Amino acid sequence: MNADKLLAFRQTAYKCLGRAHDAMFELGDAILSSPRVNSFAELSCSPLFRRQWSSLYEALQDSRPQRRKLMRLYIEQMKQTEPPVIAGDHTIWARPFAVTLQERTYEHQATRLGNPPVGVGQGLEYAGLDSRSGQ
């Protein structure tokens, strides 16, 4: 992808982020440039996120991204000559004693010796989309 095409992509994506678009855009850059993050708040330490740590939460709460436009934009970037590879992950965020967690459910988790296969918490879904060419 050349620099002009990347700039046009980033400008279009920026316009689709709705309110708090500056913080959301910086959050996206922080996520994409951080190889390993142990907590959500740790993203505020990224040099690409130039705001205070509380802005992470405010951006997610206030932003109203145009999801369909963003999805169309992402799909346009994929090569149409090869079928996409879709990967998924489901991880439990164990919170057995969280009284205020609204979406607390029973979640299946991979068993390790001595651990029960079902835990109480919140399921976190991740779906990745990539083309086979690695782009």
Side-chain angles (χ1 to χ4, degrees), residues 15-61:
K15 291 176 186 174
C16 294
L17 292 177
R19 295 184 297 184
H21 50 264
D22 290 329
M24 287 295 289
F25 202 73
E26 288 182 11
L27 175 59
D29 284 343
I31 290 169
L32 293 172
S33 66
S34 301
R36 175 171 284 161
V37 178
N38 295 316
S39 71
F40 182 67
E42 191 176 315
L43 289 169
S44 67
C45 296
S46 168
L48 298 176
F49 192 80
R50 299 174 292 177
R51 301 166 192 291
Q52 295 179 346
W53 69 270
S54 61
S55 297
L56 291 169
Y57 301 96
E58 290 173 14
L60 289 179
Q61 183 177 1

Side-chain angles (χ1 to χ4, degrees), residues 14 18-19 32 62 76 81 91 103 107 111:
Y14 178 83
R19 295 184 297 184
L32 293 172
D62 296 342
E76 288 172 5
T81 57
T91 304
E103 299 164 358
E107 299 287 336
T111 59

Side-chain angles (χ1 to χ4, degrees), residues 52-122:
Q52 295 179 346
W53 69 270
S54 61
S55 297
L56 291 169
Y57 301 96
E58 290 173 14
L60 289 179
Q61 183 177 1
D62 296 342
S63 179
R64 299 291 182 262
Q66 300 171 9
R67 294 178 181 170
R68 290 178 190 239
K69 286 184 179 181
L70 282 170
M71 185 57 73
R72 270 186 252 133
L73 178 65
Y74 298 151
I75 290 171
E76 288 172 5
Q77 307 308 311
M78 295 173 57
K79 289 186 176 184
Q80 300 299 319
T81 57
E82 299 179 22
V85 175
I86 301 173
D89 178 30
H90 181 86
T91 304
I92 183 174
W93 183 30
R95 295 293 181 255
F97 304 110
V99 179
T100 60
L101 188 61
Q102 292 178 345
E103 299 164 358
R104 186 176 67 160
T105 58
Y106 290 97
E107 299 287 336
H108 181 269
Q109 59 186 352
T111 59
R112 293 184 295 239
L113 289 174
N115 289 342
V118 175
V120 177
Q122 189 172 33

